[in-house]
């Protein structure tokens, strides 16, 4: 089978494909014949070595997959060969066959497009859980979303509109229409001071801020909160610059994020929460299943519309990594073995 490998940290050029024997399902694992797996900014961060808690090379990237169970390891009792499943692997999904713990595989109806469902497993799940599990959003509240035209950002826009939230989204001017299409107010982060603009628009700030940057940006996101507000930090996006690790941004991330945590201690009416999808999945497997079920229902009801930017063969994994930075507003990059 073919498998994508990163054998040292670096830019897209370190991504290659190897051929090897199929893996065998171990105890409690099912082997999945992959129909679609994702390539995301988190994979690029792992590839460049900026992902907190990421793997050491050599490793196979790929945060999420959809496929068909084709072998059951000892001790598996829930799933059967031929079942279609999705799984959040964190890394390892970009291969033709992947073994995953049976407990982490969620069932998927066969009539749905695997490439569209891949977006639910990671991107839409992140957006959904940040709104409903971390921030516990209430209808009518206001939300600031950074990177609103990105993949997670767009999922937030769709889900927030369904939840009756009023959204302000930072994005480049060229993506204004994409943000406004979902009923959000766009703030041009390259030419406007988002904090000043937000205060102008809202008066006293927002109830929820979703921040994939941390560091210095999160200090400003925190200041955008009104009393009772919740800041959800869910990434360190600036630590990756032009495909490579940005050391000054790593240092700035630790300094800024520690400062915002300290501010939160001094300001009990505003909270800072950290969201990490894999941590929540470990501690609340039941939430993962429940939330995935909710997302499947929304997809079936045509209420959410995950966009697939490109379906590339596994052998073009490197090209998918090259495309990551210039394709955020056009949707998910999916590898199709
Ligand atoms: N914690 C978790 O469990 C979790 C789960 C999923 C994702 N994440 C993190 O979420 C982040 C976003 O992922 P993604 O897949 O949505 O990435 P993406 O699709 O590449 O989107 C990133 C977006 O951020 C925008 N952006 C860049 N600099 C900005 C700035 N200073 N202000 C506002 N927007 C800016 C980009 O717009 P331009 O093109 O105009 O620059 C782009 O639209 C990543 O850091 C990822 O690691 C975390």
């Amino acid at each position: 089978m073919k498998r994508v490998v990163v054998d040292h940290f670096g830019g897209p050029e370190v991504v290659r494909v190897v051929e090897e024997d199929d893996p065998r399902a171990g105890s409690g694992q099912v082997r999945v014949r992959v129909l679609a797996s994702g390539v995301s900014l988190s994979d690029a961060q792992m590839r460049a070595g900026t992902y907190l808690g990421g793997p050491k090379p050599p490793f196979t990237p790929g945060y999420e997959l959809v496929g068909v169970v084709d072998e059951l390891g000892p001790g598996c009792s829930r799933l059967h060969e031929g079942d279609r499943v999705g799984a959040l692997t964190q890394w390892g999904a970009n291969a033709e066959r992947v073994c995953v713990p049976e407990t982490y595989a969620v069932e998927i109806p066969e009539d749905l497009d695997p490439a569209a469902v891949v977006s639910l497993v990671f991107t839409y799940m992140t957006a959904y859980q940040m709104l409903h599990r971390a921030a516990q959003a209430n209808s009518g509240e206001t939300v600031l979303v950074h990177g609103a035209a990105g993949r997670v950002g767009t999922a937030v826009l769709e889900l927030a509109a369904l939840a009756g939230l009023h959204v302000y989204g930072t994005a480049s001017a060229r993506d204004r229409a994409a943000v406004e299409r979902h009923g959000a107010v766009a703030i041009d982060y390259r030419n406007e001071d988002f904090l000043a603009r937000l205060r102008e628009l809202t008066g006293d700030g927002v109830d929820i801020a979703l921040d994939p940057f941390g560091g210095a940006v999160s200090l400003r996101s925190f200041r955008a909160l009104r009393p009772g507000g919740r800041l959800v930090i869910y990434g360190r996006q600036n630590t990756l610059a032009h495909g490579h690790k940005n050391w000054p941004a790593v240092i700035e991330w630790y300094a800024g994020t520690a400062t915002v945590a300290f501010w939160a201690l001094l300001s009990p009416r505003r909270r800072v929460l950290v969201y990490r999808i894999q941590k929540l999945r470990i501690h609340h497997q039941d939430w993962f299943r429940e939330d995935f079920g909710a997302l499947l229902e929304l997809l079936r009801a045509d209420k959410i519309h995950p966009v697939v930017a490109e379906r590339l063969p596994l052998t073009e994994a490197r090209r998918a990594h090259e495309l990551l930075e210039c394709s955020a507003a056009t949707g998910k990059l999916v590898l199709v073995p």
Side-chain angles (χ1 to χ4, degrees):
M1 68 156 198
K2 292 188 176 60
R3 179 167 71 92
V4 178
V5 175
V6 167
D7 46 24
H8 57 279
F9 291 136
E13 70 283 353
V14 303
V15 176
R16 61 192 189 92
V17 178
V18 297
E19 295 233 13
E20 61 189 15
D21 292 341
D22 290 350
R24 301 302 306 269
S27 179
Q29 289 184 327
V30 296
R31 189 177 67 190
V32 179
R33 178 170 56 80
V34 178
L35 299 174
S37 68
V39 176
S40 66
L41 201 53
S42 302
D43 301 320
Q45 290 167 352
M46 280 186 217
R47 185 204 67 219
T50 76
Y51 189 86
L52 203 59
K56 288 200 171 67
F59 68 93
T60 293
Y63 221 109
E64 74 275 52
L65 61 79
V66 168
V68 179
V69 173
D70 76 348
E71 187 180 82
L72 300 172
C76 291
S77 53
R78 182 171 57 87
L79 294 171
H80 305 95
E81 281 181 27
D83 285 351
R84 187 171 290 198
V85 293
L88 187 82
T89 49
Q90 201 177 356
W91 56 84
N94 296 155
E96 285 178 338
R97 283 188 167 72
V98 176
C99 296
V100 298
E102 186 191 36
T103 46
Y104 283 174
V106 288
E107 289 91 331
I108 290 175
E110 284 188 15
D111 57 328
L112 296 172
D113 174 10
V117 178
V118 152
S119 278
L120 303 196
V121 179
F122 182 38
T123 309
Y124 275 75
M125 181 67 79
T126 298
Y128 187 92
Q129 293 197 323
M130 284 198 298
L131 287 173
H132 296 292
R133 299 296 186 182
Q136 300 186 352
N138 300 305
S139 177
E141 286 191 312
T142 47
V143 185
L144 164 67
V145 184
H146 287 292
R151 297 164 181 101
V152 173
T154 304
V156 169
L157 296 185
E158 279 208 300
L159 293 167
L162 291 171
L165 303 165
H166 304 292
V167 181
Y168 303 89
T170 62
S172 295
R174 64 162 193 268
D175 294 328
R176 172 176 290 275
V179 172
E180 291 178 345
R181 193 168 56 236
H182 296 284
V185 176
I187 299 175
D188 173 1
Y189 80 85
R190 291 178 194 263
N191 297 304
E192 289 178 290
D193 174 335
F194 79 82
L195 186 54
R197 181 81 182 112
L198 204 60
R199 287 198 174 137
E200 203 178 282
L201 289 162
T202 62
D204 63 346
V206 290
D207 298 298
I208 297 167
L210 304 179
D211 186 330
F213 298 105
V217 178
S218 66
L219 295 175
R220 294 166 56 70
S221 301
F222 185 78
R223 289 173 58 203
L225 295 179
R226 58 196 295 275
R230 292 86 80 199
L231 164 64
V232 181
I233 299 176
Y234 68 104
R236 23 195 260 156
Q237 198 166 303
N238 288 340
T239 61
L240 183 76
H242 310 295
H244 292 271
K245 189 169 193 165
N246 176 359
W247 274 109
V250 174
I251 294 160
E252 189 235 77
W253 186 87
Y254 281 105
T257 310
T259 308
V260 82
F262 180 68
W263 282 6
L265 289 177
L266 302 179
S267 173
R269 297 184 69 196
R270 294 174 180 82
R271 282 190 296 148
V272 177
L273 306 148
V274 173
Y275 174 79
R276 301 199 76 192
I277 189 170
Q278 75 282 12
K279 286 267 185 283
L280 203 66
R281 196 263 310 262
I282 291 166
H283 296 298
H284 291 284
Q285 180 61 24
D286 50 332
W287 286 0
F288 191 87
R289 281 184 182 286
E290 206 176 297
D291 298 345
F292 189 71
L295 289 169
L296 277 179
E297 263 179 46
L298 292 174
L299 184 69
R300 276 221 181 282
D302 200 25
K303 290 186 173 164
I304 54 173
H305 309 90
V307 177
V308 180
E310 276 201 53
R311 297 163 204 250
L312 297 150
L314 206 61
T315 45
E316 287 193 34
R318 175 177 166 173
R319 191 169 122 70
H321 276 250
E322 285 165 355
L323 286 173
L324 267 176
E325 283 184 56
C326 59
S327 64
T330 59
K332 186 86 186 164
L333 294 165
V334 179
L335 295 180
V336 187

